[in-house]
Amino acid sequence: MPILHDGEVRVRNIFLSLDPTNRLWISGEETYLPAQHIGDVVRGGAIGIVEESRNRHMKVGDLVSGLLGWQLYYTGAGRGLAQLSRIEGIPLLAYHGVLGAVGLTAYFGLLDIGRPQAGESVLVSAAAGAVGSLVGQIAKIKGCEVIGLAGSDDKCRWLTEELHFDAAINYRTASLDQALRESCRKGVDVYFDNVGGEVLNAALGRINRKGRVVTCGLISQYNADDPVHNLSNLSRFLIQRARMEAFIVVDYLSRTREALPQLAEWLLEGRLKYRVDLVRGLEQAPEALNTLFDGSNQGKLVVQVSPAP
Ligand SMILES: NC(=O)c1ccc[n+]([C@@H]2O[C@H](COP(=O)([O-])OP(=O)(O)OC[C@H]3O[C@@H](n4cnc5c(N)ncnc54)[C@H](OP(=O)(O)O)[C@@H]3O)[C@@H](O)[C@H]2O)c1
């Protein structure tokens, strides 16, 4: 352990959040954050507990979250770390999901960029995942018709039976164009895209007049040797005068106070449900990360690296 200097803290990491963006961060390319290099501690969001402190803003026992990295202990000045203010009745793991970056992504991506109106149809890809499942539920709360795309029949059942999506399509077994024609009979007013590639193209083929495409993620492309560039349905996008806008959740960090009380309220009322896929042991993190890309993760992927208080 390095010795603590004035202003520094030591944090024991508890829950490490595994996210598709980890794949982009280790690509060696500049993203919305600086490129990572061989030999760096792998960047990653985590929740941890302060165990030693020479920083007057953080005391022993405080729970904090931020880019603590893929390691057992973080030692440093704590820049960018946020104190977690726990709400009674909400488990610590929810702060990686509904009340963390995932919840903010779903909330602002859908409401600020997608701007759904009651009665409109909202299509979501990776709908059984951490972000997608919240997007669909928020759209239902706003009175929309919600159709989800997911990669297994089990995930589709969870969407319709427990989250009350109006329809769910297993994009791996269905003929996508035909399934979208059948499930989105009125077309698509908002497409929340977590996937990109061929799924995006199929969704553009159903977009309605003045429709909105929210570009949240392109997970089908993050590992692709040969990225898909063929968006043959762009002509429909033009004819329908639709709009496509991308965002990164960090753009909304200054507005977290708008979203978190509302997300917490919906969570406590049981109107937002979530699943956590909990893996134990830091050494499991690299293997676990791959499950985001083969679809075997069941909900928000988290690695527990030490006991929770
Ligand atoms: N813009 C932002 O600020 C922001 C913030 C957070 C996340 N995101 C993006 O949001 C998306 C979802 O992230 P998440 O954390 O919620 O992960 P997640 O949905 O919990 O897990 C990823 C899911 O993506 C699906 N998937 C993987 N490869 C696919 C492919 N080739 N085609 C179609 N689906 C595929 C899999 O579900 P299936 O079983 O359904 O295939 C997998 O379970 C990602 O694209 C991520 O980069 C963006």
PDB file of all heavy atoms in Angstrom, residues 19-21 102 105 126 129-132 149-152 155 171-172 194-195 199 215-220 222 247-249 291-295 297 299, ligand 1:
ATOM      1  N   ASP A  19     -19.197  -2.251 -17.746  1.00  0.00           N
ATOM      2  CA  ASP A  19     -20.038  -1.563 -18.731  1.00  0.00           C
ATOM      3  C   ASP A  19     -19.452  -1.743 -20.126  1.00  0.00           C
ATOM      4  O   ASP A  19     -18.233  -1.837 -20.273  1.00  0.00           O
ATOM      5  CB  ASP A  19     -20.083  -0.065 -18.402  1.00  0.00           C
ATOM      6  CG  ASP A  19     -20.618   0.178 -17.002  1.00  0.00           C
ATOM      7  OD1 ASP A  19     -21.842   0.106 -16.827  1.00  0.00           O
ATOM      8  OD2 ASP A  19     -19.813   0.398 -16.076  1.00  0.00           O
ATOM      9  N   PRO A  20     -20.328  -1.727 -21.150  1.00  0.00           N
ATOM     10  CA  PRO A  20     -19.807  -1.833 -22.522  1.00  0.00           C
ATOM     11  C   PRO A  20     -18.728  -0.792 -22.821  1.00  0.00           C
ATOM     12  O   PRO A  20     -17.800  -1.051 -23.590  1.00  0.00           O
ATOM     13  CB  PRO A  20     -21.052  -1.615 -23.383  1.00  0.00           C
ATOM     14  CG  PRO A  20     -22.190  -2.096 -22.525  1.00  0.00           C
ATOM     15  CD  PRO A  20     -21.810  -1.718 -21.123  1.00  0.00           C
ATOM     16  N   THR A  21     -18.814   0.369 -22.185  1.00  0.00           N
ATOM     17  CA  THR A  21     -17.831   1.421 -22.469  1.00  0.00           C
ATOM     18  C   THR A  21     -16.415   1.025 -22.030  1.00  0.00           C
ATOM     19  O   THR A  21     -15.428   1.551 -22.551  1.00  0.00           O
ATOM     20  CB  THR A  21     -18.277   2.759 -21.822  1.00  0.00           C
ATOM     21  OG1 THR A  21     -17.530   3.817 -22.373  1.00  0.00           O
ATOM     22  CG2 THR A  21     -18.093   2.761 -20.315  1.00  0.00           C
ATOM     23  N   VAL A 102     -26.301   4.365 -15.124  1.00  0.00           N
ATOM     24  CA  VAL A 102     -27.268   3.650 -15.968  1.00  0.00           C
ATOM     25  C   VAL A 102     -28.634   4.344 -15.930  1.00  0.00           C
ATOM     26  O   VAL A 102     -29.272   4.576 -16.963  1.00  0.00           O
ATOM     27  CB  VAL A 102     -27.365   2.187 -15.453  1.00  0.00           C
ATOM     28  CG1 VAL A 102     -28.623   1.509 -15.943  1.00  0.00           C
ATOM     29  CG2 VAL A 102     -26.127   1.407 -15.868  1.00  0.00           C
ATOM     30  N   THR A 105     -28.535   7.646 -17.716  1.00  0.00           N
ATOM     31  CA  THR A 105     -28.483   7.440 -19.169  1.00  0.00           C
ATOM     32  C   THR A 105     -29.890   7.204 -19.714  1.00  0.00           C
ATOM     33  O   THR A 105     -30.309   7.818 -20.706  1.00  0.00           O
ATOM     34  CB  THR A 105     -27.591   6.218 -19.481  1.00  0.00           C
ATOM     35  OG1 THR A 105     -26.297   6.449 -18.939  1.00  0.00           O
ATOM     36  CG2 THR A 105     -27.480   5.985 -20.975  1.00  0.00           C
ATOM     37  N   ALA A 126     -31.396  -3.868 -27.010  1.00  0.00           N
ATOM     38  CA  ALA A 126     -30.770  -4.362 -25.762  1.00  0.00           C
ATOM     39  C   ALA A 126     -31.729  -4.062 -24.599  1.00  0.00           C
ATOM     40  O   ALA A 126     -31.342  -3.575 -23.546  1.00  0.00           O
ATOM     41  CB  ALA A 126     -29.386  -3.755 -25.530  1.00  0.00           C
ATOM     42  N   GLY A 129     -31.346  -5.275 -21.007  1.00  0.00           N
ATOM     43  CA  GLY A 129     -30.098  -4.893 -20.347  1.00  0.00           C
ATOM     44  C   GLY A 129     -30.328  -3.777 -19.335  1.00  0.00           C
ATOM     45  O   GLY A 129     -31.468  -3.344 -19.091  1.00  0.00           O
ATOM     46  N   ALA A 130     -29.230  -3.327 -18.750  1.00  0.00           N
ATOM     47  CA  ALA A 130     -29.310  -2.358 -17.656  1.00  0.00           C
ATOM     48  C   ALA A 130     -29.999  -1.069 -18.117  1.00  0.00           C
ATOM     49  O   ALA A 130     -30.990  -0.628 -17.516  1.00  0.00           O
ATOM     50  CB  ALA A 130     -27.900  -2.075 -17.137  1.00  0.00           C
ATOM     51  N   VAL A 131     -29.514  -0.467 -19.182  1.00  0.00           N
ATOM     52  CA  VAL A 131     -30.089   0.800 -19.663  1.00  0.00           C
ATOM     53  C   VAL A 131     -31.454   0.539 -20.314  1.00  0.00           C
ATOM     54  O   VAL A 131     -32.449   1.192 -19.987  1.00  0.00           O
ATOM     55  CB  VAL A 131     -29.138   1.485 -20.673  1.00  0.00           C
ATOM     56  CG1 VAL A 131     -29.816   2.689 -21.328  1.00  0.00           C
ATOM     57  CG2 VAL A 131     -27.838   1.917 -19.987  1.00  0.00           C
ATOM     58  N   GLY A 132     -31.487  -0.425 -21.228  1.00  0.00           N
ATOM     59  CA  GLY A 132     -32.691  -0.656 -22.031  1.00  0.00           C
ATOM     60  C   GLY A 132     -33.913  -0.962 -21.189  1.00  0.00           C
ATOM     61  O   GLY A 132     -35.021  -0.486 -21.481  1.00  0.00           O
ATOM     62  N   LEU A 149     -36.384  -5.135 -28.003  1.00  0.00           N
ATOM     63  CA  LEU A 149     -35.627  -6.146 -28.746  1.00  0.00           C
ATOM     64  C   LEU A 149     -34.630  -6.764 -27.780  1.00  0.00           C
ATOM     65  O   LEU A 149     -33.910  -6.035 -27.090  1.00  0.00           O
ATOM     66  CB  LEU A 149     -34.852  -5.489 -29.902  1.00  0.00           C
ATOM     67  CG  LEU A 149     -35.704  -4.910 -31.026  1.00  0.00           C
ATOM     68  CD1 LEU A 149     -34.922  -3.875 -31.815  1.00  0.00           C
ATOM     69  CD2 LEU A 149     -36.174  -6.037 -31.950  1.00  0.00           C
ATOM     70  N   ALA A 150     -34.595  -8.093 -27.718  1.00  0.00           N
ATOM     71  CA  ALA A 150     -33.643  -8.754 -26.816  1.00  0.00           C
ATOM     72  C   ALA A 150     -33.205 -10.066 -27.451  1.00  0.00           C
ATOM     73  O   ALA A 150     -33.833 -10.553 -28.398  1.00  0.00           O
ATOM     74  CB  ALA A 150     -34.276  -8.987 -25.451  1.00  0.00           C
ATOM     75  N   GLY A 151     -32.138 -10.649 -26.897  1.00  0.00           N
ATOM     76  CA  GLY A 151     -31.476 -11.774 -27.559  1.00  0.00           C
ATOM     77  C   GLY A 151     -31.862 -13.162 -27.089  1.00  0.00           C
ATOM     78  O   GLY A 151     -31.211 -14.131 -27.477  1.00  0.00           O
ATOM     79  N   SER A 152     -32.905 -13.292 -26.258  1.00  0.00           N
ATOM     80  CA  SER A 152     -33.354 -14.651 -25.889  1.00  0.00           C
ATOM     81  C   SER A 152     -34.834 -14.609 -25.546  1.00  0.00           C
ATOM     82  O   SER A 152     -35.378 -13.555 -25.181  1.00  0.00           O
ATOM     83  CB  SER A 152     -32.555 -15.191 -24.698  1.00  0.00           C
ATOM     84  OG  SER A 152     -32.981 -14.565 -23.509  1.00  0.00           O
ATOM     85  N   LYS A 155     -35.385 -13.503 -21.904  1.00  0.00           N
ATOM     86  CA  LYS A 155     -35.330 -12.043 -21.722  1.00  0.00           C
ATOM     87  C   LYS A 155     -36.635 -11.413 -22.221  1.00  0.00           C
ATOM     88  O   LYS A 155     -37.179 -10.504 -21.592  1.00  0.00           O
ATOM     89  CB  LYS A 155     -34.130 -11.451 -22.468  1.00  0.00           C
ATOM     90  CG  LYS A 155     -32.782 -11.767 -21.815  1.00  0.00           C
ATOM     91  CD  LYS A 155     -31.635 -11.064 -22.546  1.00  0.00           C
ATOM     92  CE  LYS A 155     -30.293 -11.341 -21.879  1.00  0.00           C
ATOM     93  NZ  LYS A 155     -29.170 -10.644 -22.532  1.00  0.00           N
ATOM     94  N   TYR A 171     -34.514 -10.814 -31.388  1.00  0.00           N
ATOM     95  CA  TYR A 171     -33.939 -10.415 -32.683  1.00  0.00           C
ATOM     96  C   TYR A 171     -33.024 -11.496 -33.256  1.00  0.00           C
ATOM     97  O   TYR A 171     -32.669 -11.462 -34.424  1.00  0.00           O
ATOM     98  CB  TYR A 171     -33.175  -9.085 -32.554  1.00  0.00           C
ATOM     99  CG  TYR A 171     -31.885  -9.205 -31.767  1.00  0.00           C
ATOM    100  CD1 TYR A 171     -30.693  -9.511 -32.405  1.00  0.00           C
ATOM    101  CD2 TYR A 171     -31.878  -9.055 -30.391  1.00  0.00           C
ATOM    102  CE1 TYR A 171     -29.510  -9.656 -31.677  1.00  0.00           C
ATOM    103  CE2 TYR A 171     -30.715  -9.203 -29.660  1.00  0.00           C
ATOM    104  CZ  TYR A 171     -29.538  -9.498 -30.306  1.00  0.00           C
ATOM    105  OH  TYR A 171     -28.382  -9.656 -29.592  1.00  0.00           O
ATOM    106  N   ARG A 172     -32.644 -12.480 -32.414  1.00  0.00           N
ATOM    107  CA  ARG A 172     -31.751 -13.525 -32.922  1.00  0.00           C
ATOM    108  C   ARG A 172     -32.515 -14.578 -33.721  1.00  0.00           C
ATOM    109  O   ARG A 172     -31.944 -15.225 -34.589  1.00  0.00           O
ATOM    110  CB  ARG A 172     -31.048 -14.238 -31.764  1.00  0.00           C
ATOM    111  CG  ARG A 172     -29.993 -13.394 -31.086  1.00  0.00           C
ATOM    112  CD  ARG A 172     -29.285 -14.231 -30.023  1.00  0.00           C
ATOM    113  NE  ARG A 172     -28.667 -13.393 -29.025  1.00  0.00           N
ATOM    114  CZ  ARG A 172     -27.401 -12.994 -29.060  1.00  0.00           C
ATOM    115  NH1 ARG A 172     -26.629 -13.363 -30.062  1.00  0.00           N
ATOM    116  NH2 ARG A 172     -26.919 -12.234 -28.106  1.00  0.00           N
ATOM    117  N   ASN A 194     -29.339   1.088 -28.572  1.00  0.00           N
ATOM    118  CA  ASN A 194     -28.193   0.665 -27.767  1.00  0.00           C
ATOM    119  C   ASN A 194     -27.230  -0.185 -28.574  1.00  0.00           C
ATOM    120  O   ASN A 194     -26.205  -0.621 -28.054  1.00  0.00           O
ATOM    121  CB  ASN A 194     -28.684  -0.189 -26.583  1.00  0.00           C
ATOM    122  CG  ASN A 194     -29.308   0.666 -25.496  1.00  0.00           C
ATOM    123  OD1 ASN A 194     -28.760   1.689 -25.143  1.00  0.00           O
ATOM    124  ND2 ASN A 194     -30.446   0.239 -24.966  1.00  0.00           N
ATOM    125  N   VAL A 195     -27.578  -0.439 -29.842  1.00  0.00           N
ATOM    126  CA  VAL A 195     -26.953  -1.538 -30.569  1.00  0.00           C
ATOM    127  C   VAL A 195     -26.277  -1.129 -31.877  1.00  0.00           C
ATOM    128  O   VAL A 195     -25.191  -1.600 -32.189  1.00  0.00           O
ATOM    129  CB  VAL A 195     -28.055  -2.608 -30.813  1.00  0.00           C
ATOM    130  CG1 VAL A 195     -27.637  -3.578 -31.877  1.00  0.00           C
ATOM    131  CG2 VAL A 195     -28.387  -3.346 -29.520  1.00  0.00           C
ATOM    132  N   VAL A 199     -29.586  -3.662 -36.655  1.00  0.00           N
ATOM    133  CA  VAL A 199     -30.810  -3.400 -35.875  1.00  0.00           C
ATOM    134  C   VAL A 199     -31.229  -1.942 -36.071  1.00  0.00           C
ATOM    135  O   VAL A 199     -32.408  -1.634 -36.255  1.00  0.00           O
ATOM    136  CB  VAL A 199     -30.579  -3.728 -34.375  1.00  0.00           C
ATOM    137  CG1 VAL A 199     -31.812  -3.377 -33.554  1.00  0.00           C
ATOM    138  CG2 VAL A 199     -30.213  -5.193 -34.195  1.00  0.00           C
ATOM    139  N   THR A 215     -29.269   7.919 -30.152  1.00  0.00           N
ATOM    140  CA  THR A 215     -28.079   7.063 -30.263  1.00  0.00           C
ATOM    141  C   THR A 215     -27.391   7.032 -28.908  1.00  0.00           C
ATOM    142  O   THR A 215     -26.686   7.973 -28.531  1.00  0.00           O
ATOM    143  CB  THR A 215     -27.137   7.595 -31.357  1.00  0.00           C
ATOM    144  OG1 THR A 215     -27.875   7.639 -32.578  1.00  0.00           O
ATOM    145  CG2 THR A 215     -25.926   6.695 -31.515  1.00  0.00           C
ATOM    146  N   CYS A 216     -27.650   5.936 -28.182  1.00  0.00           N
ATOM    147  CA  CYS A 216     -27.061   5.776 -26.844  1.00  0.00           C
ATOM    148  C   CYS A 216     -25.809   4.910 -26.927  1.00  0.00           C
ATOM    149  O   CYS A 216     -24.804   5.194 -26.286  1.00  0.00           O
ATOM    150  CB  CYS A 216     -28.102   5.152 -25.916  1.00  0.00           C
ATOM    151  SG  CYS A 216     -27.445   4.744 -24.300  1.00  0.00           S
ATOM    152  N   GLY A 217     -25.871   3.829 -27.691  1.00  0.00           N
ATOM    153  CA  GLY A 217     -24.721   2.930 -27.788  1.00  0.00           C
ATOM    154  C   GLY A 217     -24.759   2.150 -29.091  1.00  0.00           C
ATOM    155  O   GLY A 217     -25.791   2.078 -29.758  1.00  0.00           O
ATOM    156  N   LEU A 218     -23.608   1.557 -29.436  1.00  0.00           N
ATOM    157  CA  LEU A 218     -23.480   0.804 -30.684  1.00  0.00           C
ATOM    158  C   LEU A 218     -22.812  -0.533 -30.376  1.00  0.00           C
ATOM    159  O   LEU A 218     -21.804  -0.895 -30.982  1.00  0.00           O
ATOM    160  CB  LEU A 218     -22.609   1.587 -31.685  1.00  0.00           C
ATOM    161  CG  LEU A 218     -23.058   2.993 -32.056  1.00  0.00           C
ATOM    162  CD1 LEU A 218     -21.981   3.722 -32.853  1.00  0.00           C
ATOM    163  CD2 LEU A 218     -24.351   2.944 -32.876  1.00  0.00           C
ATOM    164  N   ILE A 219     -23.380  -1.262 -29.410  1.00  0.00           N
ATOM    165  CA  ILE A 219     -22.627  -2.406 -28.885  1.00  0.00           C
ATOM    166  C   ILE A 219     -22.324  -3.452 -29.952  1.00  0.00           C
ATOM    167  O   ILE A 219     -21.317  -4.150 -29.847  1.00  0.00           O
ATOM    168  CB  ILE A 219     -23.338  -3.035 -27.656  1.00  0.00           C
ATOM    169  CG1 ILE A 219     -22.359  -3.938 -26.898  1.00  0.00           C
ATOM    170  CG2 ILE A 219     -24.613  -3.751 -28.012  1.00  0.00           C
ATOM    171  CD1 ILE A 219     -22.795  -4.348 -25.526  1.00  0.00           C
ATOM    172  N   SER A 220     -23.143  -3.533 -31.000  1.00  0.00           N
ATOM    173  CA  SER A 220     -22.864  -4.544 -32.033  1.00  0.00           C
ATOM    174  C   SER A 220     -21.581  -4.222 -32.792  1.00  0.00           C
ATOM    175  O   SER A 220     -21.049  -5.069 -33.504  1.00  0.00           O
ATOM    176  CB  SER A 220     -24.040  -4.641 -33.014  1.00  0.00           C
ATOM    177  OG  SER A 220     -24.086  -3.488 -33.834  1.00  0.00           O
ATOM    178  N   TYR A 222     -18.717  -2.618 -31.272  1.00  0.00           N
ATOM    179  CA  TYR A 222     -17.518  -2.377 -30.457  1.00  0.00           C
ATOM    180  C   TYR A 222     -16.423  -3.425 -30.687  1.00  0.00           C
ATOM    181  O   TYR A 222     -15.249  -3.140 -30.522  1.00  0.00           O
ATOM    182  CB  TYR A 222     -17.861  -2.326 -28.957  1.00  0.00           C
ATOM    183  CG  TYR A 222     -18.810  -1.224 -28.538  1.00  0.00           C
ATOM    184  CD1 TYR A 222     -19.402  -1.240 -27.277  1.00  0.00           C
ATOM    185  CD2 TYR A 222     -19.127  -0.163 -29.375  1.00  0.00           C
ATOM    186  CE1 TYR A 222     -20.282  -0.244 -26.866  1.00  0.00           C
ATOM    187  CE2 TYR A 222     -20.013   0.830 -28.973  1.00  0.00           C
ATOM    188  CZ  TYR A 222     -20.590   0.782 -27.730  1.00  0.00           C
ATOM    189  OH  TYR A 222     -21.463   1.761 -27.330  1.00  0.00           O
ATOM    190  N   PHE A 247     -25.702  11.049 -27.477  1.00  0.00           N
ATOM    191  CA  PHE A 247     -25.362  11.725 -26.218  1.00  0.00           C
ATOM    192  C   PHE A 247     -24.460  10.802 -25.411  1.00  0.00           C
ATOM    193  O   PHE A 247     -24.428   9.587 -25.624  1.00  0.00           O
ATOM    194  CB  PHE A 247     -26.623  12.057 -25.406  1.00  0.00           C
ATOM    195  CG  PHE A 247     -27.206  10.848 -24.730  1.00  0.00           C
ATOM    196  CD1 PHE A 247     -27.042  10.639 -23.370  1.00  0.00           C
ATOM    197  CD2 PHE A 247     -27.879   9.887 -25.469  1.00  0.00           C
ATOM    198  CE1 PHE A 247     -27.541   9.500 -22.758  1.00  0.00           C
ATOM    199  CE2 PHE A 247     -28.381   8.750 -24.865  1.00  0.00           C
ATOM    200  CZ  PHE A 247     -28.216   8.560 -23.511  1.00  0.00           C
ATOM    201  N   ILE A 248     -23.734  11.388 -24.486  1.00  0.00           N
ATOM    202  CA  ILE A 248     -22.930  10.634 -23.518  1.00  0.00           C
ATOM    203  C   ILE A 248     -23.380  11.115 -22.148  1.00  0.00           C
ATOM    204  O   ILE A 248     -23.512  12.327 -21.924  1.00  0.00           O
ATOM    205  CB  ILE A 248     -21.417  10.887 -23.705  1.00  0.00           C
ATOM    206  CG1 ILE A 248     -20.940  10.485 -25.109  1.00  0.00           C
ATOM    207  CG2 ILE A 248     -20.597  10.162 -22.635  1.00  0.00           C
ATOM    208  CD1 ILE A 248     -20.863   9.002 -25.385  1.00  0.00           C
ATOM    209  N   VAL A 249     -23.604  10.184 -21.242  1.00  0.00           N
ATOM    210  CA  VAL A 249     -24.224  10.535 -19.960  1.00  0.00           C
ATOM    211  C   VAL A 249     -23.421  11.592 -19.193  1.00  0.00           C
ATOM    212  O   VAL A 249     -24.003  12.395 -18.454  1.00  0.00           O
ATOM    213  CB  VAL A 249     -24.490   9.269 -19.113  1.00  0.00           C
ATOM    214  CG1 VAL A 249     -23.202   8.603 -18.679  1.00  0.00           C
ATOM    215  CG2 VAL A 249     -25.371   9.597 -17.917  1.00  0.00           C
ATOM    216  N   THR A 291     -19.362 -11.190 -21.178  1.00  0.00           N
ATOM    217  CA  THR A 291     -20.781 -11.587 -21.197  1.00  0.00           C
ATOM    218  C   THR A 291     -21.678 -10.461 -21.714  1.00  0.00           C
ATOM    219  O   THR A 291     -22.779 -10.706 -22.177  1.00  0.00           O
ATOM    220  CB  THR A 291     -21.285 -12.057 -19.806  1.00  0.00           C
ATOM    221  OG1 THR A 291     -21.290 -10.937 -18.907  1.00  0.00           O
ATOM    222  CG2 THR A 291     -20.415 -13.171 -19.246  1.00  0.00           C
ATOM    223  N   LEU A 292     -21.177  -9.213 -21.640  1.00  0.00           N
ATOM    224  CA  LEU A 292     -21.964  -8.097 -22.200  1.00  0.00           C
ATOM    225  C   LEU A 292     -22.054  -8.223 -23.718  1.00  0.00           C
ATOM    226  O   LEU A 292     -22.980  -7.709 -24.343  1.00  0.00           O
ATOM    227  CB  LEU A 292     -21.312  -6.757 -21.853  1.00  0.00           C
ATOM    228  CG  LEU A 292     -21.291  -6.346 -20.383  1.00  0.00           C
ATOM    229  CD1 LEU A 292     -20.397  -5.121 -20.191  1.00  0.00           C
ATOM    230  CD2 LEU A 292     -22.709  -6.041 -19.910  1.00  0.00           C
ATOM    231  N   PHE A 293     -21.077  -8.889 -24.297  1.00  0.00           N
ATOM    232  CA  PHE A 293     -20.997  -8.934 -25.759  1.00  0.00           C
ATOM    233  C   PHE A 293     -21.579 -10.219 -26.348  1.00  0.00           C
ATOM    234  O   PHE A 293     -21.878 -10.269 -27.530  1.00  0.00           O
ATOM    235  CB  PHE A 293     -19.541  -8.706 -26.210  1.00  0.00           C
ATOM    236  CG  PHE A 293     -19.069  -7.348 -25.801  1.00  0.00           C
ATOM    237  CD1 PHE A 293     -18.423  -7.142 -24.588  1.00  0.00           C
ATOM    238  CD2 PHE A 293     -19.353  -6.241 -26.592  1.00  0.00           C
ATOM    239  CE1 PHE A 293     -18.048  -5.872 -24.181  1.00  0.00           C
ATOM    240  CE2 PHE A 293     -18.986  -4.974 -26.184  1.00  0.00           C
ATOM    241  CZ  PHE A 293     -18.334  -4.787 -24.983  1.00  0.00           C
ATOM    242  N   ASP A 294     -21.734 -11.264 -25.500  1.00  0.00           N
ATOM    243  CA  ASP A 294     -22.442 -12.447 -26.020  1.00  0.00           C
ATOM    244  C   ASP A 294     -23.878 -12.489 -25.478  1.00  0.00           C
ATOM    245  O   ASP A 294     -24.637 -13.410 -25.764  1.00  0.00           O
ATOM    246  CB  ASP A 294     -21.679 -13.751 -25.724  1.00  0.00           C
ATOM    247  CG  ASP A 294     -21.564 -14.069 -24.240  1.00  0.00           C
ATOM    248  OD1 ASP A 294     -22.356 -13.529 -23.444  1.00  0.00           O
ATOM    249  OD2 ASP A 294     -20.682 -14.864 -23.864  1.00  0.00           O
ATOM    250  N   GLY A 295     -24.224 -11.498 -24.676  1.00  0.00           N
ATOM    251  CA  GLY A 295     -25.619 -11.383 -24.210  1.00  0.00           C
ATOM    252  C   GLY A 295     -25.944 -12.292 -23.034  1.00  0.00           C
ATOM    253  O   GLY A 295     -27.099 -12.377 -22.627  1.00  0.00           O
ATOM    254  N   ASN A 297     -25.086 -11.861 -19.947  1.00  0.00           N
ATOM    255  CA  ASN A 297     -25.377 -11.125 -18.697  1.00  0.00           C
ATOM    256  C   ASN A 297     -26.895 -10.984 -18.535  1.00  0.00           C
ATOM    257  O   ASN A 297     -27.608 -10.810 -19.514  1.00  0.00           O
ATOM    258  CB  ASN A 297     -24.708  -9.732 -18.695  1.00  0.00           C
ATOM    259  CG  ASN A 297     -25.328  -8.784 -19.697  1.00  0.00           C
ATOM    260  OD1 ASN A 297     -25.446  -9.103 -20.874  1.00  0.00           O
ATOM    261  ND2 ASN A 297     -25.754  -7.621 -19.249  1.00  0.00           N
ATOM    262  N   GLY A 299     -28.956  -8.563 -16.762  1.00  0.00           N
ATOM    263  CA  GLY A 299     -29.140  -7.319 -16.021  1.00  0.00           C
ATOM    264  C   GLY A 299     -27.815  -6.617 -15.782  1.00  0.00           C
ATOM    265  O   GLY A 299     -26.790  -6.958 -16.385  1.00  0.00           O
TER     266      GLY A 299
HETATM  267  N1  LIG B   1     -24.310   7.119 -24.171  1.00  0.00           N
HETATM  268  C1  LIG B   1     -24.029   6.834 -22.901  1.00  0.00           C
HETATM  269  O1  LIG B   1     -23.681   7.685 -22.107  1.00  0.00           O
HETATM  270  C2  LIG B   1     -24.146   5.411 -22.433  1.00  0.00           C
HETATM  271  C3  LIG B   1     -24.119   5.112 -21.042  1.00  0.00           C
HETATM  272  C4  LIG B   1     -24.290   3.763 -20.656  1.00  0.00           C
HETATM  273  C5  LIG B   1     -24.446   2.767 -21.634  1.00  0.00           C
HETATM  274  N2  LIG B   1     -24.435   3.124 -22.951  1.00  0.00           N
HETATM  275  C6  LIG B   1     -24.623   2.128 -24.001  1.00  0.00           C
HETATM  276  O2  LIG B   1     -25.859   1.490 -23.753  1.00  0.00           O
HETATM  277  C7  LIG B   1     -25.815   0.154 -24.286  1.00  0.00           C
HETATM  278  C8  LIG B   1     -26.289  -0.812 -23.205  1.00  0.00           C
HETATM  279  O3  LIG B   1     -25.376  -0.771 -22.106  1.00  0.00           O
HETATM  280  P1  LIG B   1     -25.712  -1.523 -20.736  1.00  0.00           P
HETATM  281  O4  LIG B   1     -24.693  -1.109 -19.767  1.00  0.00           O
HETATM  282  O5  LIG B   1     -27.141  -1.341 -20.423  1.00  0.00           O
HETATM  283  O6  LIG B   1     -25.435  -3.047 -21.114  1.00  0.00           O
HETATM  284  P2  LIG B   1     -26.493  -4.254 -21.120  1.00  0.00           P
HETATM  285  O7  LIG B   1     -27.585  -3.878 -22.045  1.00  0.00           O
HETATM  286  O8  LIG B   1     -26.826  -4.632 -19.727  1.00  0.00           O
HETATM  287  O9  LIG B   1     -25.625  -5.418 -21.742  1.00  0.00           O
HETATM  288  C9  LIG B   1     -25.285  -5.399 -23.085  1.00  0.00           C
HETATM  289  C10 LIG B   1     -26.360  -6.143 -23.926  1.00  0.00           C
HETATM  290  O10 LIG B   1     -26.176  -5.780 -25.281  1.00  0.00           O
HETATM  291  C11 LIG B   1     -26.717  -6.802 -26.099  1.00  0.00           C
HETATM  292  N3  LIG B   1     -25.810  -7.070 -27.217  1.00  0.00           N
HETATM  293  C12 LIG B   1     -24.498  -7.410 -27.152  1.00  0.00           C
HETATM  294  N4  LIG B   1     -23.991  -7.573 -28.390  1.00  0.00           N
HETATM  295  C13 LIG B   1     -25.025  -7.339 -29.260  1.00  0.00           C
HETATM  296  C14 LIG B   1     -25.141  -7.355 -30.681  1.00  0.00           C
HETATM  297  N5  LIG B   1     -24.099  -7.662 -31.476  1.00  0.00           N
HETATM  298  N6  LIG B   1     -26.350  -7.065 -31.229  1.00  0.00           N
HETATM  299  C15 LIG B   1     -27.413  -6.763 -30.438  1.00  0.00           C
HETATM  300  N7  LIG B   1     -27.355  -6.736 -29.090  1.00  0.00           N
HETATM  301  C16 LIG B   1     -26.186  -7.011 -28.512  1.00  0.00           C
HETATM  302  C17 LIG B   1     -26.851  -8.059 -25.210  1.00  0.00           C
HETATM  303  O11 LIG B   1     -28.233  -8.264 -24.967  1.00  0.00           O
HETATM  304  P3  LIG B   1     -29.099  -9.295 -25.884  1.00  0.00           P
HETATM  305  O12 LIG B   1     -29.150 -10.605 -25.152  1.00  0.00           O
HETATM  306  O13 LIG B   1     -30.408  -8.625 -25.970  1.00  0.00           O
HETATM  307  O14 LIG B   1     -28.387  -9.415 -27.193  1.00  0.00           O
HETATM  308  C18 LIG B   1     -26.194  -7.656 -23.905  1.00  0.00           C
HETATM  309  O15 LIG B   1     -26.811  -8.245 -22.793  1.00  0.00           O
HETATM  310  C19 LIG B   1     -24.385  -0.066 -24.756  1.00  0.00           C
HETATM  311  O16 LIG B   1     -24.328   0.169 -26.153  1.00  0.00           O
HETATM  312  C20 LIG B   1     -23.603   1.005 -24.033  1.00  0.00           C
HETATM  313  O17 LIG B   1     -22.420   1.368 -24.710  1.00  0.00           O
HETATM  314  C21 LIG B   1     -24.280   4.418 -23.354  1.00  0.00           C
END
